[in-house]
Amino acid sequence: MGHMAGRPEQKQPQATDAEREAPSARAALPPPGATPRSRTSASLVLRLVSFVADRPFVALAAIFTGLLALHLAILNLAGAMSGVFVGEVLFLLDPVAAADLLLLGLIAFCMVLPTLLARASVAACTDTAGALSATDEEYDATLAALAEPGIIVRLVFGGFWAAVMTPVFGNLVSAGTAAPQAATWLIMIWLYVRLALVFGMLGSSLAHVALLQYRLSGALGRHLRVDLFDASALAPLARHMRLSILYLSVPLLLMGPVLSRPDAATASATLMGFGILVVLVAGFGGMWGARTAIRTTKQLVQGELNAYSREIWRRAYSNGRIVEAVALPAMAGMLTIRNQIARMANWPGGWPNVLRCLLIALLPAVSWFGPQAIQILLEPFL
């Protein structure tokens, strides 16, 4: 071995008789958290999380189907239903049963809502990678932060919302389906369980959305580089704005028939307006960093154009007269570009995209006041 020629060989120490006769060390016992059962449970949870992350819409259908089967089983056990019939009416045609289905759909959708938004955020960052100035390490860290599930934060906020909101709304939402007196307790327990799941999932989703949009906004504000005359680079961010507002509007859309009251239109409109405001704040909040980057770029470009325009004017106008008329068209072109930049919106996609987002956010009004509006319009013909 040529490279080892100059290094003297070291003799290995010989083991003594006592060391040869000593028993071998026993392998350390696994820590309490690493038992086979706990590893199996953790593996199962990770598989479920991975399944929801990979196939959110399939998971949504599976969760809703499971909740519906449990709902029908409890109502049949309580004697409120016979198979899939409420009295002689199919449960899908019963108004109260339809409201129950909307609650189950709300629970199922809120379970996959964080995954849908996280996938949309990761896709937005991936599609705008060419406009980001981040290093490979910063880019990978950003994607990892966006994909982080945030289980602890979601559990804390979900538990808080469930504990606070369930008793308040439990007295406002009726149990719905009529049941024998002896089984009324079962119907009420299932009602409160559903409300706890609804508000728990809503609180969990809102906490995750706030954290996710904060991370996305911060990453865009630090690394986004804007070309004011190339709208295609920011098109994925504009699409993410619309998609996130659409996802966030679905829970509000599902809550409309349950919470809207024709005899309390003002209160219903106030509650819906607050929900729309939350949706808009969450949807536009994720793009606040992009807005900051666009605004900063506009200010820099306008400052450069102003400096060039002043320099051209000093050269073209001297001693009370124009000495270089050929420079005036260049200055006029710069002023035109400056005014065009000033009229640009600070949001990805411009003002048309902002208008689309506002229209999407108003979709819940269809479920909140659509039936009442149709009834009022058709009343003269009935």
Side-chain angles (χ1 to χ4, degrees):
M1 306 293 290
H3 65 282
M4 296 292 292
R7 179 176 296 179
E9 295 183 359
Q10 297 181 357
K11 295 182 179 180
Q12 297 294 334
Q14 300 293 328
T16 62
D17 295 339
E19 291 175 343
R20 284 193 293 266
E21 295 176 359
S24 59
R26 176 178 293 180
L29 294 175
T35 59
R37 179 174 297 179
S38 64
R39 286 198 300 267
T40 303
S41 301
S43 176
L44 180 60
V45 171
L46 290 177
R47 289 180 181 178
L48 290 176
V49 172
S50 177
F51 175 75
V52 174
D54 294 337
R55 300 175 179 86
F57 291 105
V58 176
L60 171 63
I63 294 171
F64 177 74
T65 302
L67 289 173
L68 178 59
L70 179 61
H71 178 68
L72 295 178
I74 291 177
L75 292 185
N76 276 273
L77 183 62
M81 291 183 61
S82 177
V84 293
F85 290 92
V86 179
E88 298 181 355
V89 180
L90 185 66
F91 78 98
L92 293 175
L93 304 178
D94 184 72
V96 176
D100 292 337
L101 292 181
L102 291 177
L103 280 179
L104 298 180
L106 178 62
I107 296 171
F109 186 82
C110 287
M111 286 184 176
V112 301
L113 176 59
T115 300
L116 293 174
L117 289 174
R119 285 166 60 95
S121 299
V122 171
C125 278
T126 303
D127 294 339
T128 55
L132 300 178
S133 63
T135 62
D136 292 341
E137 292 77 10
E138 292 172 337
Y139 180 73
D140 293 339
T142 298
L143 293 184
L146 294 177
E148 184 180 352
I151 299 298
I152 302 300
V153 176
R154 292 166 62 181
L155 286 176
V156 171
F157 278 86
F160 175 77
W161 269 57
V164 172
M165 303 299 290
T166 301
V168 175
F169 282 85
N171 297 326
L172 299 178
V173 181
S174 60
T177 308
Q181 189 68 26
T184 304
W185 62 273
L186 181 59
I187 299 295
M188 292 303 299
I189 290 176
W190 177 232
L191 170 67
Y192 275 86
V193 168
R194 283 180 290 159
L195 289 177
L197 287 174
V198 166
F199 291 112
M201 290 298 103
L202 283 175
S204 172
S205 298
L206 288 176
H208 185 269
V209 167
L211 187 60
L212 178 68
Q213 301 294 67
Y214 173 78
R215 290 171 176 170
L216 178 61
S217 176
L220 293 176
R222 290 189 302 269
H223 304 303
L224 185 62
R225 296 297 176 263
V226 179
D227 184 351
L228 295 177
F229 296 97
D230 183 13
S232 61
L234 300 182
L237 299 181
R239 182 169 58 251
H240 176 267
M241 287 179 62
R242 299 192 300 270
L243 195 60
S244 61
I245 291 178
L246 178 61
Y247 286 153
L248 292 169
S249 298
V250 171
L252 193 60
L253 187 69
L254 294 174
M255 285 190 291
V258 179
L259 298 181
S260 179
R261 294 289 182 269
D263 54 346
T266 303
S268 298
T270 302
L271 187 60
M272 184 195 70
F274 177 75
I276 292 176
L277 179 62
V278 171
V279 168
L280 290 175
V281 169
F284 282 86
M287 290 296 108
W288 193 262
R291 178 187 182 275
T292 302
I294 295 173
R295 185 178 181 182
T296 302
T297 303
K298 288 173 60 177
Q299 291 175 348
L300 291 175
V301 173
Q302 286 177 328
E304 293 290 333
L305 290 174
N306 288 334
Y308 289 146
S309 298
R310 287 194 298 267
E311 181 64 24
I312 291 176
W313 178 250
R314 280 195 294 265
R315 293 180 181 181
Y317 187 82
S318 178
N319 297 324
R321 62 190 183 88
I322 297 177
V323 296
E324 292 186 14
V326 70
L328 295 181
M331 186 180 67
M334 289 185 180
L335 294 176
T336 301
I337 294 175
R338 187 190 65 177
N339 295 333
Q340 182 180 355
I341 292 175
R343 290 192 298 268
M344 290 181 180
N346 294 332
W347 298 99
W351 294 116
N353 187 61
V354 172
L355 180 60
R356 292 177 187 175
C357 293
L358 294 177
L359 293 177
I360 293 173
L362 292 176
L363 285 178
V366 176
S367 66
W368 283 71
F369 298 105
Q372 294 91 323
I374 293 175
Q375 184 178 1
I376 293 174
L377 292 175
L378 296 180
E379 187 174 359
F381 304 98
L382 298 179

